[in-house]
Amino acid sequence: MKTRIHYKVEAKYWRREVPNIHDESLDILPTKFDIAETVTKFENESPILVRKAAFNHYSSIIDVLYNGLGKQRSTDAQARIDLQFYFDSGNAIELGGKGKKFKSSPDYDKCIEVYLIVQNLFDNIEENYLIHGVRYLDYPDRLDAGIEESLEGLIEEFLYYKENTNLNIEKLKFKAVDGNKTLILKTPFDWE
């Protein structure tokens, strides 16, 4: 099976502070013009070059958003908290009872994410794997479930590189969520 590896960066976030849609005294509702939404694909014969370009693009979006906050970016973990300004419209409704609270929110699709795309050239099927991102968090003090999905995508990415390229790649060995040691490609972010 012949495969081709490329990447994409998807971004969807609020451009400005959004009015509370549950406030009956307001007659201003958010519109599609209040949302920034982009999908940028990175393709090249060298998957490692497009991977680097995708991460650079992702970082440039994060930097622009931080500039809008008037802050300097510090860590990836802190970005998950700071950038909620762009992901959380404040229009979620908390549901559930004691100990089992959850939110219903119009913001679950707000994120900036990097995807590995593996294309099977024989039957033209594409598989997308999330390998990094920041997104809306309904409860910032809880574990971001997207982190585990990203780690799973990074493990898949490593396996595709190992099986389909003969590139000399920089690897990172760390203890995965299940406690086992695993290998991933080195990223610009501290996964440990």
Side-chain angles (χ1 to χ4, degrees):
M1 167 181 18
K2 180 79 170 146
T3 59
R4 189 168 140 230
I5 300 170
H6 52 281
Y7 294 84
K8 72 178 173 182
V9 176
E10 292 185 358
K12 187 173 185 180
Y13 53 89
W14 295 104
R15 294 181 194 271
R16 65 177 181 92
E17 198 169 340
V18 179
N20 186 336
I21 61 174
H22 306 294
D23 185 346
E24 294 176 5
S25 67
L26 293 176
D27 60 354
I28 303 169
L29 292 176
T31 69
K32 66 179 181 177
F33 299 108
D34 293 321
I35 296 175
E37 186 171 11
T38 62
V39 176
T40 308
K41 289 190 176 184
F42 298 87
E43 300 181 42
N44 188 302
E45 289 300 314
S46 172
I48 206 71
L49 289 178
V50 294
R51 183 182 196 268
K52 183 177 180 178
F55 275 116
N56 285 341
H57 182 69
Y58 168 87
S59 289
S60 70
I61 295 170
I62 300 293
D63 289 341
V64 166
L65 295 181
Y66 260 102
N67 190 37
L69 292 174
K71 292 183 173 183
Q72 288 286 79
R73 179 163 88 170
S74 58
T75 65
D76 186 61
Q78 188 61 44
R80 293 174 190 283
I81 296 165
D82 292 342
L83 297 179
Q84 290 306 303
F85 175 83
Y86 295 103
F87 302 139
D88 186 353
S89 66
N91 287 303
I93 298 174
E94 192 164 68
L95 303 168
K98 190 175 181 180
K100 295 191 178 204
K101 292 183 179 180
F102 65 96
K103 289 184 180 178
S104 174
S105 175
D107 298 319
Y108 281 111
D109 61 343
K110 307 305 182 287
C111 61
I112 304 164
E113 297 177 321
V114 180
Y115 287 89
L116 161 73
I117 302 170
V118 179
Q119 183 180 24
N120 176 335
L121 297 175
F122 180 71
D123 53 13
N124 203 27
I125 294 175
E126 286 188 351
E127 294 179 84
N128 291 269
Y129 298 95
L130 175 65
I131 60 170
H132 193 76
V134 293
R135 67 202 48 78
Y136 166 77
L137 299 174
D138 51 0
Y139 296 96
D141 59 331
R142 293 184 186 170
L143 177 66
D144 178 0
I147 291 175
E148 186 174 341
E149 183 183 354
S150 294
L151 289 172
E152 290 169 359
L154 286 165
I155 292 167
E156 287 294 325
E157 179 190 43
F158 176 78
L159 294 173
Y160 276 104
Y161 271 78
K162 184 178 169 186
E163 294 170 9
N164 296 294
T165 72
N166 53 1
L167 297 171
N168 185 14
I169 49 179
E170 192 172 355
K171 298 173 274 239
L172 176 64
K173 186 176 191 176
F174 75 103
K175 199 178 285 189
V177 175
D178 61 4
N180 293 322
K181 292 269 185 181
T182 190
L183 291 173
I184 62 171
L185 299 183
K186 188 166 175 52
T187 71
F189 310 99
D190 182 7
W191 280 101
E192 297 195 55

